[in-house]
Amino acid sequence: MSNKEYIERGRFAPSPTGRMHLGNVFSALLSWLSIKAQGGKWVLRIEDIDPQRSRMEYADLIMSDLEWLGLTWDEGPFYQSERGEIYEAELQKLADRGMTYPCYCTRADILATQAPHESDGRVVYKGTCRNLKPGTHSGPAAVRMRVPEEGEGVITFVDGHYGEQTVDLTTQCGDFIVRRKDGAWAYQLAVVVDDALMGITEVVRGRDLLLSSPQQIYLAKELGFAPPRFTHLPLLCNTEGQRLSKRDRSLDMEALRSRFEAEDIIGLLAYKAGLQESPNRVTAEELVAGFDWSKIAYGNIEF
């Protein structure tokens, strides 16, 4: 692709497991503004790979809410549930190189291996099944991606908002799942393949997913893809410091649409983010010209 044809491409990739809430809207808004400020295209991808929790009615509501907010997409929607053959082919490439292995561990098995000082909630897989001899176990198994040996798995990247990040995959992540035990595709594999094949150049998302970025950079490179740029956002939290979630029904789009106009919501989020000095009503389109990452807050934003 020549420079003349090159165009920045961002994406919003919600999971249709419930109605969007204010935190989802915040991520969508900043992703949309960032790519539009660069003259790029915004791609909508529905990440419906969890068959137990994904519902088409939620996907329809997400699209309705985005359109109501003025966050229109240039391409899509693309549904991950329709892309299984693509993921299968990419997983086979890894398997052929010995980069994956079956894992029979339960969550209880994995938690039992965690050291007492690992109290931040992060679960690091210790490689229990890494070198099992074939035929040792039977029954359903997850598929894990091997990370390098300790000291060789250090990934450094520059986050678009939080600057340089360095993560040791071996000690901070461990071998990670690329296909679940029930056969469903794991987030890390699907998102890496889709971002690459859809030409995504910029990923904007909440900083709770920051640790996913080095795993995705590593996986992308092992598959021969150039990883996108990653930019992470501060999280929207309630007054008790808890991240907003789909459990906060008073802040989901059903409640918000019944009480406010789209410009009210966009204006409040822009004010909280640092994009305007007061929570004045504004459209997303009106924010594009003045958008700058340097204006965005770094710490969690309280609602």
Side-chain angles (χ1 to χ4, degrees):
M1 183 181 292
S2 70
N3 289 335
K4 188 175 180 180
E5 297 170 323
Y6 180 83
I7 188 166
E8 296 287 347
R9 292 166 64 83
R11 50 83 160 169
F12 182 54
S15 298
T17 58
R19 194 75 181 258
M20 280 206 303
H21 60 78
L22 205 57
N24 302 134
V25 176
F26 186 56
S27 291
L29 174 63
L30 291 195
S31 171
W32 189 90
L33 289 173
S34 182
I35 208 68
K36 291 299 177 182
Q38 299 171 69
K41 292 184 179 295
W42 200 56
V43 178
L44 178 62
R45 185 171 73 225
I46 304 296
E47 299 199 335
D48 56 344
I49 50 174
D50 188 330
Q52 277 80 44
R53 300 174 63 223
S54 298
R55 299 285 183 273
M56 181 59 74
E57 57 263 34
Y58 288 133
D60 292 339
L61 285 168
I62 287 167
M63 289 185 277
S64 169
D65 290 337
L66 289 173
E67 290 179 325
W68 182 78
L69 289 161
L71 303 177
T72 52
W73 53 96
D74 300 293
E75 295 179 21
F78 300 104
Y79 294 87
Q80 286 189 328
S81 59
E82 299 173 356
R83 297 172 62 80
E85 290 184 5
I86 298 171
Y87 308 143
E88 189 83 60
E90 296 300 327
L91 180 60
Q92 190 59 50
K93 293 178 185 177
L94 297 171
D96 289 346
R97 293 171 49 212
M99 298 293 297
T100 64
Y101 62 89
C103 174
Y104 302 90
C105 296
T106 65
R107 182 167 179 80
D109 293 335
I110 295 167
L111 290 174
T113 69
Q114 304 302 295
H117 65 274
E118 295 169 337
S119 57
D120 62 356
R122 184 185 301 163
V123 177
V124 178
Y125 185 65
K126 304 298 186 182
T128 307
C129 293
R130 191 179 236 243
N131 298 309
L132 284 180
K133 294 180 180 178
T136 305
H137 282 69
S138 60
V143 179
R144 287 189 183 270
M145 174 78 178
R146 296 178 187 270
V147 299
E149 299 298 329
E150 189 165 352
E152 299 174 5
V154 176
I155 301 286
T156 298
F157 69 99
V158 179
D159 183 83
H161 190 48
Y162 291 102
E164 185 172 294
Q165 307 290 319
T166 299
V167 173
D168 188 329
L169 290 176
T170 316
T171 60
Q172 293 178 259
C173 301
D175 298 340
F176 54 91
I177 291 177
V178 286
R179 193 167 196 174
R180 295 187 344 194
K181 192 175 289 190
D182 62 3
W185 295 103
Y187 167 74
Q188 304 293 18
L189 179 73
V191 75
V192 165
V193 172
D194 285 345
D195 284 345
L197 298 185
M198 294 176 187
I200 301 303
T201 59
E202 177 182 80
V203 171
V204 174
R205 59 191 180 191
R207 69 174 180 180
D208 55 319
L209 289 171
L210 205 150
L211 194 62
S212 284
S213 297
Q215 296 174 66
Q216 290 168 14
I217 290 168
Y218 171 66
L219 184 50
K221 290 180 176 178
E222 290 298 329
L223 286 169
F225 300 136
R229 300 186 311 277
F230 292 97
T231 301
H232 291 84
L233 310 173
L235 301 178
L236 300 191
C237 295
N238 61 24
T239 54
E240 297 174 357
Q242 299 167 321
R243 180 168 62 98
L244 299 187
S245 71
K246 292 173 182 175
R247 294 185 297 274
D248 296 296
R249 297 301 298 276
S250 64
L251 294 176
D252 76 12
M253 284 301 294
E254 181 178 8
L256 293 171
R257 285 181 69 165
S258 71
R259 295 161 54 205
F260 302 103
E261 296 296 323
E263 291 82 359
D264 297 319
I265 297 170
I266 299 293
L268 179 60
L269 288 173
Y271 166 65
K272 290 283 192 176
L275 293 174
Q276 57 178 10
E277 295 181 0
S278 61
N280 292 339
R281 289 165 51 92
V282 68
T283 66
E285 190 66 46
E286 290 169 332
L287 292 169
V288 172
F291 180 79
D292 192 316
W293 279 108
S294 66
K295 298 177 181 178
I296 305 299
Y298 288 93
N300 290 343
I301 298 172
E302 185 178 298
F303 266 82

